[in-house]
């Protein structure tokens, strides 16, 4: 089982026991909807891909995550948040693509699996650019997907006739790592900021005066 599948399983368990309710509320998802989407991504990767020309689409690895991103864009609170998520996705893709260009060709020279590295870097950049839970998830998932498309386009222009498999095993893992890490960072930083804000506020005195009746001696 790949790291992406393992992470989805862990998320499903957390959702089932209600641990992720706060995050799901921010994403405008119910527990049932989240479990259904996780199941679709999980089992969708087992369904044969949809191939159009030189591009192959994984149902669970590409189409379902893309659908979730579109849903979150539609449900975004403001136009500013939508624009920030789209621009953030493009910038995240550019950074991941630039990182891939500097990766060594020799496998023994690579300390960490490149896909894991892309996912981690993508998640951190996605949080910084997306800011909100929704924005971070969109930037993380779309950023990795767009970077994969950019690599394929460059290869085609260089005469490499290689099929683009959107949502393939490695890219799917990177997307899941990136999207989840972006959401986790947004949640942790948001929680710390809220606790800090509550801690600096002075308790509000009640304007209602309740006189105390003394017992007669």
């Amino acid at each position: 089982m790949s790291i992406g599948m393992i992470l989805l399983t862990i998320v499903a368990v957390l959702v089932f026991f209600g641990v992720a309710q706060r995050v799901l509320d921010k994403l405008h998802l119910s527990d049932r909807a989240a479990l259904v989407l996780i199941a679709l991504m999980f089992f969708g990767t087992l369904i044969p891909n949809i191939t159009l020309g030189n591009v192959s689409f994984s149902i669970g690895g590409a189409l379902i995550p893309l659908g979730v991103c579109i849903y979150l864009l539609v449900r975004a609170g403001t136009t500013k948040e939508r624009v920030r998520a789209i621009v953030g996705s493009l910038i995240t893709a550019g950074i991941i693509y630039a990182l891939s260009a500097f990766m060594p060709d020799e496998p023994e020279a690579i300390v960490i699996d490149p896909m894991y590295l892309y996912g981690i870097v993508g998640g951190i950049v996605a949080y910084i650019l997306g800011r909100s839970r929704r924005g971070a998830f969109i930037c993380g998932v779309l950023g990795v997907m767009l970077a994969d498309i950019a690599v394929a386009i460059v290869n085609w222009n260089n005469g490499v006739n290689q099929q683009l498999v959107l949502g393939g095993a490695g890219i799917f893992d990177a997307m899941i790592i990136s999207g989840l890490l972006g959401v986790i960072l947004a949640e942790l930083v948001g929680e710390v900021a809220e606790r800090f804000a509550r801690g600096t506020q002075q308790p509000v005195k009640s304007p209602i005066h309740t006189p105390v009746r003394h017992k007669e001696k």
Side-chain angles (χ1 to χ4, degrees), residues 51-175:
T51 302
L52 298 174
N54 210 23
V55 181
S56 179
F57 301 87
S58 170
I59 296 176
L63 297 183
I64 301 301
L66 179 61
V68 174
C69 291
I70 294 174
Y71 168 78
L72 294 178
L73 277 174
V74 173
R75 294 300 303 271
T78 61
T79 302
K80 181 179 179 181
E81 183 179 1
R82 297 188 186 96
V83 173
R84 185 173 60 199
I86 294 173
V87 174
S89 299
L90 295 173
I91 297 175
T92 303
I95 293 175
I96 294 175
Y97 176 81
L99 179 63
S100 67
F102 289 99
M103 293 296 293
D105 297 329
E106 299 79 11
E108 59 273 8
I110 303 176
V111 179
I112 183 175
D113 189 309
M115 292 303 168
Y116 297 170
L117 180 61
Y118 300 154
I120 294 172
V121 172
I124 295 173
V125 175
Y127 159 68
I128 295 173
L129 299 176
R131 302 299 297 276
S132 67
R133 284 82 167 173
R134 294 184 295 269
F137 183 85
I138 294 170
C139 291
V141 173
L142 286 187
V144 173
M145 189 179 297
L146 291 174
D148 191 33
I149 295 174
V151 171
I153 293 175
V154 171
N155 288 337
W156 292 338
N157 289 334
N158 292 333
V160 180
N161 189 21
Q162 183 179 4
Q163 186 183 46
L164 169 61
V165 182
L166 281 177
I171 294 298
F172 176 71
D173 291 342
M175 285 194 300

